[in-house]
Amino acid sequence: MASPRAERKKPGNHNDFVQLCNPHVAAMKEDVLYHFNLSTGTHDFPAMFGDVKFVCVGGSPSRMKAFIKYVAVELGFDHPGADYPDLCESTDRYAMFKVGPVLSVSHGMGIPSIAIMLHELIKLLYHARCSGVTLIRIGTSGGIGVEPGSVVITRQAVDACFKQEFEQIVLGKRVVRNTHLDERLVQELARCSADLGGFPTVVGNTMCTLDFYEGQGRLDGALCSYTEKDKQRYLRAAYEAGIRNIEMESSVFAAMCNACGLPAAVVCVTLLDRLQGDQISSAHEVLAEYEQRPQQLVGCFIKKRLAAA
């Protein structure tokens, strides 16, 4: 049995089957993906998912269903009365939808929630014998020095100390993983944005925090031990470090995809400029339009990739 290190693929290799950084899974008679309510003992993973080439993940089940509907139209898979059932409908943890080679999965909010989902998602792709898979996180974020509605294509995922790493405690020991993202995907997505036009797009670093309030320097939480001046100093330092938005999932997403050799990208729209305030004040219909922007950009990317295949 190959060691986890030996099984690791070079990121960007689009020809190999999805592999794991865990030698124990191959020896299991049955693998129950508990939070998806799927199992290798009860489901035919290659038949259900073997053709998947693109996996898009985002926080909200409704947003990911809207995305699969949008992609179905863009790729010509849509038809009158089309329905896209939740493949995880027997559980309320996550939602999963599929059309053609595209899988759309919700991951909830924060590092623990997306990490659990990613463990089971990557195993699903492994059991399905998928190859050449690209993963993209689409979502919302708080901007730093960019206007609300701007789409940020992440160049590097960094932690709250601006380091390009993700720290995990494993068996009582500190394990640090690199949060490298695929530069080729960044450039492809930037070109798609130029082709689309219609909304501002920037390439920049994304800061991933463990919390929505104090962890992001907000002044409006139940706890706050710093001043407006302290907050502004921190956020401006982040801007100087190339950070253009803040969210709560990108670092572990990048780290896990990188460890398993899966090309990955993060595309998030900003709902506000945190240098100007902490609370979202845009009207609901404006926010709804903002949320469609990452979907449009990633839909364009998928369409171009399939046309070139």
Side-chain angles (χ1 to χ4, degrees):
M1 178 68 65
S3 69
R5 183 174 296 275
E7 285 192 270
R8 178 174 171 173
K9 299 183 297 175
K10 182 180 178 181
N13 188 332
H14 290 259
N15 299 313
D16 294 338
F17 291 107
V18 172
Q19 298 293 335
L20 305 178
C21 275
N22 180 358
H24 305 290
V25 173
M28 296 170 59
K29 292 183 179 180
E30 179 182 8
D31 190 1
V32 178
L33 308 186
Y34 173 75
H35 300 90
F36 286 162
N37 197 35
L38 298 171
S39 169
T40 57
T42 56
H43 298 79
D44 187 341
F45 282 32
M48 294 174 67
F49 305 107
D51 62 338
V52 168
K53 298 295 181 184
F54 306 94
V55 181
C56 297
V57 303
S60 162
S62 61
R63 189 185 305 150
M64 299 321 293
K65 184 163 188 177
F67 174 72
I68 210 70
K69 288 182 175 180
Y70 175 79
V71 167
V73 173
E74 286 295 294
L75 301 183
F77 288 105
D78 192 39
H79 59 83
D83 185 32
Y84 305 97
D86 180 1
L87 301 178
C88 302
E89 62 181 352
S90 297
T91 176
D92 60 359
R93 294 296 184 186
Y94 304 105
M96 180 186 296
F97 310 95
K98 183 180 182 299
V99 64
V102 182
L103 195 63
S104 177
V105 190
S106 71
H107 58 58
M109 182 180 290
I111 284 174
S113 184
I114 191 174
I116 293 167
M117 187 280 293
L118 284 170
H119 275 282
E120 298 189 10
L121 172 64
I122 296 171
K123 290 199 297 175
L124 180 153
L125 298 172
Y126 166 78
H127 291 307
R129 301 288 291 161
C130 293
S131 64
V133 180
T134 297
L135 276 73
I136 304 178
R137 167 170 143 66
I138 59 176
T140 59
S141 62
I144 301 182
V146 296
E147 64 179 283
S150 299
V151 172
V152 178
I153 302 170
T154 303
R155 170 157 280 140
Q156 303 289 354
V158 301
D159 65 13
C161 295
F162 313 159
K163 294 180 180 178
Q164 189 189 336
E165 62 181 37
F166 172 69
E167 177 184 330
Q168 175 111 11
I169 303 301
V170 179
L171 300 182
K173 297 180 181 178
R174 181 174 180 262
V175 175
V176 176
R177 294 190 171 108
N178 186 277
T179 55
H180 172 82
L181 287 165
D182 194 297
E183 179 64 23
R184 186 165 72 99
L185 284 178
V186 171
Q187 297 305 320
E188 282 189 66
L189 288 161
R191 288 193 293 271
C192 287
S193 175
D195 292 342
L196 280 175
F199 50 80
T201 303
V202 299
V203 174
N205 297 339
T206 294
M207 179 164 66
C208 180
T209 67
L210 301 178
D211 169 57
F212 185 81
Y213 286 97
E214 287 186 294
Q216 296 187 9
R218 277 185 163 84
L219 301 173
D220 59 345
L223 304 175
C224 184
S225 59
Y226 43 84
T227 66
E228 168 74 24
K229 186 176 180 180
D230 294 332
K231 165 199 161 180
Q232 289 291 336
R233 185 184 299 114
Y234 176 71
L235 293 182
R236 292 187 184 280
Y239 185 87
E240 291 301 316
I243 296 168
R244 295 296 177 266
N245 64 334
I246 313 173
E247 44 84 274
M248 299 195 297
E249 294 86 20
S250 60
S251 63
V252 69
F253 174 76
M256 291 183 67
C257 290
N258 186 48
C260 292
L262 291 165
V266 178
V267 180
C268 290
V269 69
T270 61
L271 302 183
L272 76 167
D273 180 359
R274 288 292 317 291
L275 293 175
Q276 305 302 318
D278 294 334
Q279 296 200 335
I280 299 168
S281 58
S282 298
H284 174 76
E285 58 271 18
V286 173
L287 296 175
E289 192 277 324
Y290 286 172
E291 290 183 5
Q292 293 173 9
R293 294 178 177 183
Q295 298 181 17
Q296 293 167 6
L297 178 51
V298 174
C300 175
F301 164 80
I302 293 173
K303 193 172 182 179
K304 280 192 167 187
R305 273 282 185 94
L306 290 175

